[in-house]
Coordinates of all heavy atoms in Angstrom, one line a residue:
Chain A
V212 N -11.4 0.2 -29.2 CA -12.0 -1.1 -28.7 C -12.0 -2.0 -30.1 O -12.1 -1.6 -31.2 CB -13.4 -0.9 -28.3 CG1 -13.4 -0.1 -27.0 CG2 -14.4 -0.2 -29.3
E213 N -12.2 -3.3 -29.8 CA -12.6 -4.3 -31.0 C -14.1 -4.4 -30.9 O -14.7 -4.5 -29.8 CB -11.9 -5.6 -30.6 CG -10.5 -5.6 -30.7 CD -9.9 -7.0 -30.3 OE1 -9.9 -7.9 -31.2 OE2 -9.6 -7.2 -29.1
I214 N -14.7 -4.4 -32.1 CA -16.1 -4.6 -32.2 C -16.5 -5.9 -32.7 O -15.9 -6.4 -33.7 CB -16.6 -3.3 -33.2 CG1 -16.2 -2.0 -32.5 CG2 -18.2 -3.4 -33.4 CD1 -16.4 -0.8 -33.2
F215 N -17.5 -6.5 -32.1 CA -18.1 -7.8 -32.5 C -19.7 -7.6 -32.5 O -20.2 -7.0 -31.7 CB -17.7 -8.8 -31.5 CG -16.3 -9.2 -31.5 CD1 -15.5 -8.4 -30.6 CD2 -15.8 -10.1 -32.1 CE1 -14.1 -8.7 -30.5 CE2 -14.4 -10.5 -32.1 CZ -13.5 -9.6 -31.2
T216 N -20.3 -8.2 -33.6 CA -21.7 -8.3 -33.6 C -22.1 -9.8 -33.4 O -23.4 -10.0 -33.4 CB -22.3 -7.9 -35.0 OG1 -21.6 -8.6 -36.1 CG2 -22.0 -6.4 -35.1
D217 N -21.2 -10.7 -33.2 CA -21.4 -12.0 -32.9 C -21.0 -12.3 -31.6 O -19.7 -12.1 -31.2 CB -20.7 -13.1 -33.9 CG -21.0 -14.4 -33.6 OD1 -21.1 -14.8 -32.4 OD2 -20.9 -15.2 -34.5
M218 N -21.8 -12.5 -30.6 CA -21.6 -12.6 -29.2 C -20.6 -13.6 -28.9 O -19.6 -13.5 -28.0 CB -22.8 -12.6 -28.3 CG -22.5 -12.4 -26.8 SD -24.0 -12.1 -26.0 CE -23.5 -11.8 -24.4
R219 N -20.6 -14.8 -29.6 CA -19.8 -15.9 -29.3 C -18.4 -15.6 -29.6 O -17.6 -15.9 -28.8 CB -20.4 -17.2 -30.0 CG -21.6 -17.7 -29.4 CD -22.3 -18.8 -30.4 NE -23.5 -19.3 -29.8 CZ -24.7 -18.7 -29.9 NH1 -24.7 -17.7 -30.8 NH2 -25.7 -19.2 -29.4
K220 N -18.2 -14.9 -30.7 CA -16.8 -14.6 -31.2 C -16.3 -13.5 -30.1 O -15.1 -13.5 -29.8 CB -16.8 -14.1 -32.6 CG -17.0 -15.2 -33.6 CD -16.8 -14.6 -35.0 CE -17.1 -15.6 -36.0 NZ -17.7 -15.0 -37.3
G221 N -17.1 -12.6 -29.8 CA -16.8 -11.4 -29.0 C -16.4 -12.0 -27.5 O -15.5 -11.4 -26.8
L222 N -17.0 -13.0 -27.1 CA -16.8 -13.6 -25.7 C -15.5 -14.5 -25.7 O -15.0 -14.7 -24.5 CB -17.9 -14.3 -25.2 CG -19.2 -13.5 -24.9 CD1 -20.3 -14.3 -24.3 CD2 -18.8 -12.3 -23.9
A223 N -15.1 -15.0 -26.8 CA -14.0 -16.0 -26.8 C -12.8 -15.3 -26.1 O -12.3 -14.3 -26.4 CB -13.7 -16.3 -28.3
G224 N -12.5 -16.1 -25.0 CA -11.2 -15.8 -24.3 C -11.4 -14.6 -23.4 O -10.3 -14.0 -22.9
A225 N -12.5 -14.1 -23.2 CA -12.8 -12.9 -22.3 C -12.5 -13.3 -20.8 O -13.0 -14.4 -20.4 CB -14.2 -12.3 -22.6
D226 N -11.9 -12.4 -20.0 CA -11.8 -12.6 -18.6 C -13.0 -12.0 -17.9 O -13.4 -12.5 -16.8 CB -10.5 -11.9 -18.0 CG -9.3 -12.4 -18.7 OD1 -8.9 -13.5 -18.4 OD2 -8.7 -11.7 -19.5
I227 N -13.6 -11.0 -18.4 CA -14.7 -10.3 -17.8 C -15.8 -10.1 -18.8 O -15.5 -9.6 -20.0 CB -14.3 -8.9 -17.2 CG1 -13.1 -9.0 -16.2 CG2 -15.4 -8.1 -16.7 CD1 -13.6 -9.6 -14.9
V228 N -17.0 -10.4 -18.5 CA -18.2 -10.0 -19.4 C -19.0 -9.0 -18.7 O -19.6 -9.3 -17.5 CB -19.0 -11.4 -19.6 CG1 -20.1 -11.0 -20.6 CG2 -18.2 -12.4 -20.1
M229 N -19.1 -8.0 -19.3 CA -19.8 -6.8 -18.6 C -21.1 -6.6 -19.4 O -21.1 -6.3 -20.7 CB -19.0 -5.4 -18.8 CG -18.9 -4.6 -17.6 SD -17.8 -3.3 -17.9 CE -16.6 -3.6 -16.8
M230 N -22.3 -6.9 -18.8 CA -23.5 -6.7 -19.6 C -24.2 -5.3 -19.4 O -23.9 -4.8 -18.3 CB -24.5 -7.7 -19.1 CG -24.0 -9.2 -19.3 SD -23.6 -9.6 -20.9 CE -25.2 -9.3 -21.8
L231 N -24.9 -4.9 -20.4 CA -25.4 -3.4 -20.2 C -26.9 -3.7 -20.3 O -27.4 -4.6 -20.9 CB -25.0 -2.6 -21.4 CG -23.5 -2.2 -21.4 CD1 -23.2 -1.5 -22.7 CD2 -23.1 -1.5 -20.2
R232 N -27.6 -2.7 -19.5 CA -29.1 -2.8 -19.6 C -29.6 -2.3 -20.9 O -29.1 -1.3 -21.5 CB -29.6 -1.8 -18.5 CG -31.0 -1.7 -18.4 CD -31.4 -0.6 -17.3 NE -32.7 -0.3 -17.3 CZ -33.8 -1.0 -16.9 NH1 -33.5 -2.2 -16.4 NH2 -35.0 -0.6 -17.0
L233 N -30.6 -2.9 -21.5 CA -31.3 -2.5 -22.7 C -32.6 -2.0 -22.3 O -33.5 -2.8 -21.7 CB -31.4 -3.7 -23.7 CG -32.1 -3.3 -25.0 CD1 -31.3 -2.3 -25.8 CD2 -32.3 -4.4 -25.9
Q234 N -32.9 -0.8 -22.6 CA -34.2 -0.2 -22.2 C -35.4 -0.8 -23.0 O -35.2 -1.0 -24.2 CB -34.3 1.3 -22.2 CG -33.4 1.9 -21.0 CD -33.3 3.3 -20.9 OE1 -34.1 4.0 -21.6 NE2 -32.5 3.8 -20.0
R235 N -36.5 -1.0 -22.4 CA -37.6 -1.7 -23.1 C -38.1 -0.9 -24.4 O -38.3 -1.5 -25.4 CB -38.7 -1.9 -22.1 CG -38.5 -2.9 -21.1 CD -39.6 -3.6 -20.5 NE -39.2 -4.9 -19.8 CZ -39.2 -6.0 -20.3 NH1 -39.6 -6.2 -21.4 NH2 -38.8 -7.1 -19.5
E236 N -38.0 0.4 -24.2 CA -38.5 1.1 -25.4 C -37.7 1.1 -26.5 O -38.0 1.6 -27.8 CB -38.8 2.6 -25.0 CG -37.5 3.4 -24.5 CD -37.3 3.4 -23.1 OE1 -37.8 2.5 -22.3 OE2 -36.8 4.3 -22.5
R237 N -36.5 0.5 -26.5 CA -35.6 0.3 -27.5 C -35.7 -1.1 -28.3 O -35.0 -1.3 -29.1 CB -34.2 0.6 -27.2 CG -34.1 2.1 -26.8 CD -32.7 2.6 -26.4 NE -32.8 4.0 -26.1 CZ -32.4 4.6 -25.1 NH1 -31.7 3.9 -24.1 NH2 -32.6 5.9 -24.8
M238 N -36.6 -1.9 -27.7 CA -36.8 -3.2 -28.2 C -38.1 -3.4 -28.9 O -38.5 -4.6 -29.3 CB -36.8 -4.2 -27.0 CG -35.4 -4.2 -26.4 SD -35.4 -5.3 -25.0 CE -36.2 -4.2 -23.7
D239 N -38.7 -2.3 -29.4 CA -40.0 -2.3 -29.9 C -40.0 -2.2 -31.5 O -40.9 -1.9 -32.2 CB -41.0 -1.3 -29.4 CG -40.4 0.1 -29.5 OD1 -39.3 0.1 -30.3 OD2 -40.9 1.1 -29.1
G240 N -38.8 -2.6 -32.1 CA -38.6 -2.4 -33.5 C -37.9 -1.2 -33.8 O -37.4 -1.1 -35.0
S241 N -37.5 -0.3 -32.9 CA -36.8 0.8 -33.2 C -35.4 0.5 -33.4 O -34.7 1.0 -34.4 CB -37.1 1.9 -32.3 OG -36.6 1.5 -30.9
F242 N -34.7 -0.1 -32.6 CA -33.3 -0.5 -32.6 C -33.1 -2.1 -32.7 O -32.2 -2.6 -33.5 CB -32.5 -0.1 -31.3 CG -32.4 1.5 -31.3 CD1 -33.4 2.3 -30.7 CD2 -31.3 2.1 -31.9 CE1 -33.2 3.6 -30.7 CE2 -31.2 3.4 -31.9 CZ -32.1 4.2 -31.3
V243 N -34.0 -2.9 -32.1 CA -34.0 -4.3 -32.3 C -35.5 -4.7 -32.4 O -36.3 -4.1 -31.8 CB -33.3 -5.0 -31.1 CG1 -31.7 -4.8 -31.2 CG2 -33.8 -4.7 -29.8
P244 N -35.7 -5.7 -33.2 CA -37.1 -6.1 -33.4 C -37.9 -6.6 -32.2 O -39.0 -6.2 -32.2 CB -36.9 -7.2 -34.5 CG -35.5 -7.2 -34.9 CD -34.7 -6.7 -33.8
S245 N -37.4 -7.3 -31.3 CA -38.1 -7.9 -30.2 C -37.2 -8.2 -29.1 O -36.0 -8.6 -29.3 CB -39.0 -9.0 -30.6 OG -38.1 -10.2 -31.0

Side-chain angles (χ1 to χ4, degrees):
Chain A
V212 300
E213 292 175 85
I214 297 172
F215 296 86
T216 52
D217 179 331
M218 195 166 181
R219 290 171 180 82
K220 286 183 187 153
L222 290 184
D226 297 287
I227 300 287
V228 182
M229 223 178 240
M230 300 306 297
L231 298 173
R232 177 181 168 78
L233 180 65
Q234 288 183 8
R235 293 204 166 261
E236 61 266 28
R237 295 184 177 131
M238 295 176 281
D239 58 3
S241 53
F242 290 90
V243 291
S245 67

